[in-house]
Amino acid sequence: LSDAIAAQVLDANSRFYAAFEALDIDAVEDCWEKSSRAACVHPGSRWVTGWTAVQASLEGMLSNIDYIEFEVLDLNVSVEDPVAMVTCVERVSSTAGSGRATLDVCATNIFVLSSEGWKLVLHHASPIMQPSDSEGEAE
Amino acid sequence: LSDAIAAQVLDANSRFYAAFEALDIDAVEDCWEKSSRAACVHPGSRWVTGWTAVQASLEGMLSNIDYIEFEVLDLNVSVEDPVAMVTCVERVSSTAGSGRATLDVCATNIFVLSSEGWKLVLHHASPIMQPSDSEGEAE
């Protein structure tokens, strides 16, 4: 995995979160491959599959959010040309409707290289429900 | 995506769940690529990264389970040679310690083709917390 390829993928990943923070639906959509295999899971939710449904879910999320900020932690990138697998933890701060929330979320972002660069085909986000001082070790 | 390739991937996916149902740790481990990029998230938990840690988490799970059964629903397969992306819903019934539970889980399983067949490099499982009669449509 060359540094240049890893940098491309990390840039694509960063642009996805920056677009969300900017509440810029066009920029969020530009991160995605508009295909039937596009798929996402928002934290605690069901699969949304196919670009039309994914697009609707992204628009629905953004229209309900007043403010959102991502601190992206524990980034790992792996590439199997033409696929890149990114895993990370999103520390999400947001205000939506009634109040402010902070949530740690595990995310898988799968990108495929196209002539327009690395495009998201799969975003899977899940809430972390165990205490942060537990390292997942149940002795 | 040829039917034969899709069948190979679905077979690898089925063997993963069958190995879990059999509580057969060797068979579960055989489904995985033993590499530093191996990664998994169990429902509600944090990232476990690298084969050594993934292996320990799988052994920990199996040692705590008396019985587990998966009904695998909503399967989607997409292949970008040499990577296969499988998404599904796991309807999990299990007994662990105190009681019996049934849980619907969204899963992403990413396989990479090796000389020994399709091997898991990433398993991301997340609890579905919305009611099953909601289709995720917040109007």
Side-chain angles (χ1 to χ4, degrees):
Chain A
L1 175 54
S2 78
D3 289 351
I5 298 285
Q8 282 183 358
V9 173
L10 288 172
D11 182 60
N13 198 64
S14 295
R15 281 190 291 111
F16 177 61
Y17 292 112
F20 243 96
E21 288 183 332
L23 305 178
D24 181 341
I25 186 65
D26 293 334
V28 169
E29 293 184 1
D30 188 55
C31 296
W32 282 82
E33 180 187 278
K34 281 93 181 161
S35 71
S36 60
R37 68 180 174 183
C40 70
V41 177
H42 302 301
S45 295
R46 300 178 167 275
W47 277 110
V48 178
T49 54
W51 172 243
T52 305
V54 169
Q55 182 181 36
S57 83
L58 294 168
E59 289 178 354
M61 275 190 90
L62 283 190
S63 69
N64 280 316
I65 293 171
D66 300 314
Y67 161 83
I68 191 163
E69 191 174 325
F70 296 93
E71 186 181 358
V72 179
L73 308 168
D74 298 343
L75 265 167
N76 279 296
V77 181
S78 160
V79 174
E80 276 286 338
D81 182 18
V83 179
M85 296 165 266
V86 176
T87 66
C88 60
V89 173
E90 306 167 358
R91 183 156 291 165
V92 189
S93 304
S94 65
T95 58
S98 49
R100 186 185 177 91
T102 300
L103 182 68
D104 277 2
V105 169
C106 286
T108 295
N109 295 322
I110 308 291
F111 296 87
V112 175
L113 188 57
S114 78
S115 55
E116 283 98 44
W118 294 93
K119 295 294 180 181
L120 260 180
V121 295
L122 186 149
H123 169 69
H124 187 161
S126 63
I128 298 174
M129 298 187 291
Q130 67 196 33
S132 62
D133 56 356
S134 156
E135 292 302 311
E137 303 288 340
E139 297 283 12
Chain B
L1 176 54
S2 78
D3 289 352
I5 298 285
Q8 282 182 358
V9 173
L10 288 171
D11 182 60
N13 199 64
S14 296
R15 281 189 293 111
F16 176 61
Y17 292 111
F20 243 97
E21 288 183 332
L23 304 179
D24 181 341
I25 186 66
D26 292 335
V28 170
E29 293 184 2
D30 189 54
C31 295
W32 282 82
E33 180 187 281
K34 282 93 181 160
S35 71
S36 59
R37 68 180 175 183
C40 70
V41 176
H42 302 300
S45 294
R46 297 177 170 276
W47 277 109
V48 177
T49 54
W51 172 244
T52 304
V54 169
Q55 181 181 36
S57 83
L58 295 167
E59 289 179 355
M61 274 191 90
L62 283 191
S63 70
N64 279 317
I65 294 170
D66 300 316
Y67 162 83
I68 191 163
E69 193 175 322
F70 295 93
E71 186 181 359
V72 180
L73 308 167
D74 299 341
L75 265 166
N76 279 296
V77 181
S78 160
V79 173
E80 276 286 342
D81 182 18
V83 178
M85 296 163 264
V86 177
T87 66
C88 60
V89 172
E90 307 168 358
R91 184 156 290 166
V92 189
S93 305
S94 66
T95 58
S98 49
R100 185 185 178 91
T102 300
L103 181 68
D104 279 1
V105 170
C106 287
T108 296
N109 295 323
I110 308 291
F111 296 87
V112 175
L113 188 57
S114 76
S115 55
E116 284 96 46
W118 295 92
K119 296 293 181 181
L120 260 180
V121 295
L122 187 149
H123 169 69
H124 188 163
S126 63
I128 298 174
M129 297 188 291
Q130 68 195 31
S132 61
D133 56 355
S134 156
E135 293 300 313
E137 303 288 342
E139 294 285 12

